[in-house]
PDB file of all heavy atoms in Angstrom:
ATOM      1  N   ARG D  17      46.342   9.308   0.036  1.00 96.00           N
ATOM      2  CA  ARG D  17      45.866   8.984  -1.307  1.00 96.00           C
ATOM      3  C   ARG D  17      44.966   7.748  -1.240  1.00 96.00           C
ATOM      4  O   ARG D  17      45.041   6.979  -0.266  1.00 96.00           O
ATOM      5  CB  ARG D  17      47.028   8.740  -2.260  1.00 96.00           C
ATOM      6  CG  ARG D  17      47.816   7.495  -1.938  1.00 96.00           C
ATOM      7  CD  ARG D  17      48.920   7.254  -2.942  1.00 96.00           C
ATOM      8  NE  ARG D  17      50.032   8.174  -2.704  1.00 96.00           N
ATOM      9  CZ  ARG D  17      51.087   8.290  -3.495  1.00 96.00           C
ATOM     10  NH1 ARG D  17      51.177   7.565  -4.594  1.00 96.00           N
ATOM     11  NH2 ARG D  17      52.064   9.116  -3.208  1.00 96.00           N
ATOM     12  N   GLY D  18      44.153   7.546  -2.258  1.00 97.00           N
ATOM     13  CA  GLY D  18      43.201   6.438  -2.263  1.00 97.00           C
ATOM     14  C   GLY D  18      43.705   5.228  -3.011  1.00 97.00           C
ATOM     15  O   GLY D  18      43.234   4.108  -2.783  1.00 97.00           O
ATOM     16  N   GLU D  19      44.697   5.428  -3.907  1.00 97.00           N
ATOM     17  CA  GLU D  19      45.223   4.270  -4.635  1.00 97.00           C
ATOM     18  C   GLU D  19      46.588   4.588  -5.207  1.00 97.00           C
ATOM     19  O   GLU D  19      46.976   5.745  -5.384  1.00 97.00           O
ATOM     20  CB  GLU D  19      44.267   3.865  -5.753  1.00 97.00           C
ATOM     21  CG  GLU D  19      44.012   4.936  -6.793  1.00 97.00           C
ATOM     22  CD  GLU D  19      43.049   4.442  -7.860  1.00 97.00           C
ATOM     23  OE1 GLU D  19      41.827   4.488  -7.600  1.00 97.00           O
ATOM     24  OE2 GLU D  19      43.505   4.022  -8.935  1.00 97.00           O
ATOM     25  N   GLU D  20      47.311   3.522  -5.459  1.00 97.00           N
ATOM     26  CA  GLU D  20      48.621   3.661  -6.095  1.00 97.00           C
ATOM     27  C   GLU D  20      49.047   2.294  -6.623  1.00 97.00           C
ATOM     28  O   GLU D  20      48.576   1.262  -6.160  1.00 97.00           O
ATOM     29  CB  GLU D  20      49.659   4.187  -5.096  1.00 97.00           C
ATOM     30  CG  GLU D  20      49.924   3.256  -3.923  1.00 97.00           C
ATOM     31  CD  GLU D  20      50.902   3.862  -2.919  1.00 97.00           C
ATOM     32  OE1 GLU D  20      51.880   4.488  -3.360  1.00 97.00           O
ATOM     33  OE2 GLU D  20      50.683   3.696  -1.702  1.00 97.00           O
ATOM     34  N   ASP D  21      49.945   2.304  -7.586  1.00 97.00           N
ATOM     35  CA  ASP D  21      50.520   1.056  -8.098  1.00 97.00           C
ATOM     36  C   ASP D  21      51.922   0.913  -7.532  1.00 97.00           C
ATOM     37  O   ASP D  21      52.686   1.870  -7.522  1.00 97.00           O
ATOM     38  CB  ASP D  21      50.588   1.079  -9.631  1.00 97.00           C
ATOM     39  CG  ASP D  21      49.205   1.036 -10.245  1.00 97.00           C
ATOM     40  OD1 ASP D  21      48.287   0.507  -9.594  1.00 97.00           O
ATOM     41  OD2 ASP D  21      49.033   1.533 -11.373  1.00 97.00           O
ATOM     42  N   VAL D  22      52.231  -0.284  -7.034  1.00 96.00           N
ATOM     43  CA  VAL D  22      53.569  -0.509  -6.457  1.00 96.00           C
ATOM     44  C   VAL D  22      54.176  -1.790  -7.025  1.00 96.00           C
ATOM     45  O   VAL D  22      53.482  -2.631  -7.589  1.00 96.00           O
ATOM     46  CB  VAL D  22      53.517  -0.615  -4.905  1.00 96.00           C
ATOM     47  CG1 VAL D  22      53.011   0.679  -4.294  1.00 96.00           C
ATOM     48  CG2 VAL D  22      52.658  -1.795  -4.470  1.00 96.00           C
ATOM     49  N   ASP D  23      55.506  -1.903  -6.844  1.00 95.00           N
ATOM     50  CA  ASP D  23      56.249  -3.094  -7.269  1.00 95.00           C
ATOM     51  C   ASP D  23      56.916  -3.705  -6.048  1.00 95.00           C
ATOM     52  O   ASP D  23      58.103  -3.479  -5.808  1.00 95.00           O
ATOM     53  CB  ASP D  23      57.331  -2.715  -8.286  1.00 95.00           C
ATOM     54  CG  ASP D  23      56.802  -2.684  -9.694  1.00 95.00           C
ATOM     55  OD1 ASP D  23      56.248  -3.710 -10.153  1.00 95.00           O
ATOM     56  OD2 ASP D  23      56.923  -1.620 -10.328  1.00 95.00           O
ATOM     57  N   PRO D  24      56.196  -4.457  -5.247  1.00 93.00           N
ATOM     58  CA  PRO D  24      56.805  -5.005  -4.023  1.00 93.00           C
ATOM     59  C   PRO D  24      57.856  -6.056  -4.372  1.00 93.00           C
ATOM     60  O   PRO D  24      57.733  -6.753  -5.387  1.00 93.00           O
ATOM     61  CB  PRO D  24      55.613  -5.631  -3.292  1.00 93.00           C
ATOM     62  CG  PRO D  24      54.579  -5.866  -4.338  1.00 93.00           C
ATOM     63  CD  PRO D  24      54.807  -4.876  -5.432  1.00 93.00           C
ATOM     64  N   PRO D  25      58.889  -6.168  -3.547  1.00 94.00           N
ATOM     65  CA  PRO D  25      59.910  -7.206  -3.799  1.00 94.00           C
ATOM     66  C   PRO D  25      59.285  -8.600  -3.744  1.00 94.00           C
ATOM     67  O   PRO D  25      58.321  -8.831  -3.006  1.00 94.00           O
ATOM     68  CB  PRO D  25      60.918  -7.000  -2.667  1.00 94.00           C
ATOM     69  CG  PRO D  25      60.286  -6.093  -1.684  1.00 94.00           C
ATOM     70  CD  PRO D  25      59.223  -5.329  -2.387  1.00 94.00           C
ATOM     71  N   ALA D  26      59.823  -9.495  -4.510  1.00 91.00           N
ATOM     72  CA  ALA D  26      59.285 -10.853  -4.602  1.00 91.00           C
ATOM     73  C   ALA D  26      59.354 -11.596  -3.272  1.00 91.00           C
ATOM     74  O   ALA D  26      58.665 -12.594  -3.061  1.00 91.00           O
ATOM     75  CB  ALA D  26      60.024 -11.636  -5.680  1.00 91.00           C
ATOM     76  N   SER D  27      60.187 -11.094  -2.343  1.00 93.00           N
ATOM     77  CA  SER D  27      60.324 -11.772  -1.047  1.00 93.00           C
ATOM     78  C   SER D  27      59.103 -11.629  -0.146  1.00 93.00           C
ATOM     79  O   SER D  27      58.963 -12.338   0.840  1.00 93.00           O
ATOM     80  CB  SER D  27      61.550 -11.207  -0.315  1.00 93.00           C
ATOM     81  OG  SER D  27      61.379  -9.813  -0.113  1.00 93.00           O
ATOM     82  N   LEU D  28      58.208 -10.715  -0.468  1.00 95.00           N
ATOM     83  CA  LEU D  28      57.023 -10.517   0.379  1.00 95.00           C
ATOM     84  C   LEU D  28      56.021 -11.639   0.120  1.00 95.00           C
ATOM     85  O   LEU D  28      55.551 -11.816  -1.000  1.00 95.00           O
ATOM     86  CB  LEU D  28      56.361  -9.164   0.082  1.00 95.00           C
ATOM     87  CG  LEU D  28      57.251  -7.925   0.225  1.00 95.00           C
ATOM     88  CD1 LEU D  28      56.401  -6.670   0.010  1.00 95.00           C
ATOM     89  CD2 LEU D  28      57.946  -7.886   1.566  1.00 95.00           C
ATOM     90  N   ALA D  29      55.672 -12.382   1.171  1.00 95.00           N
ATOM     91  CA  ALA D  29      54.768 -13.520   0.980  1.00 95.00           C
ATOM     92  C   ALA D  29      53.318 -13.176   1.294  1.00 95.00           C
ATOM     93  O   ALA D  29      52.407 -13.508   0.551  1.00 95.00           O
ATOM     94  CB  ALA D  29      55.222 -14.695   1.849  1.00 95.00           C
ATOM     95  N   SER D  30      53.109 -12.482   2.412  1.00 97.00           N
ATOM     96  CA  SER D  30      51.742 -12.262   2.895  1.00 97.00           C
ATOM     97  C   SER D  30      51.343 -10.788   2.816  1.00 97.00           C
ATOM     98  O   SER D  30      52.177  -9.905   2.608  1.00 97.00           O
ATOM     99  CB  SER D  30      51.622 -12.724   4.342  1.00 97.00           C
ATOM    100  OG  SER D  30      52.371 -11.858   5.180  1.00 97.00           O
TER     101      SER D  30
END
Side-chain angles (χ1 to χ4, degrees):
Chain D
R17 68 177 76 187
E19 60 180 82
E20 63 183 320
D21 292 334
V22 298
D23 274 304
S27 60
L28 304 185
S30 69

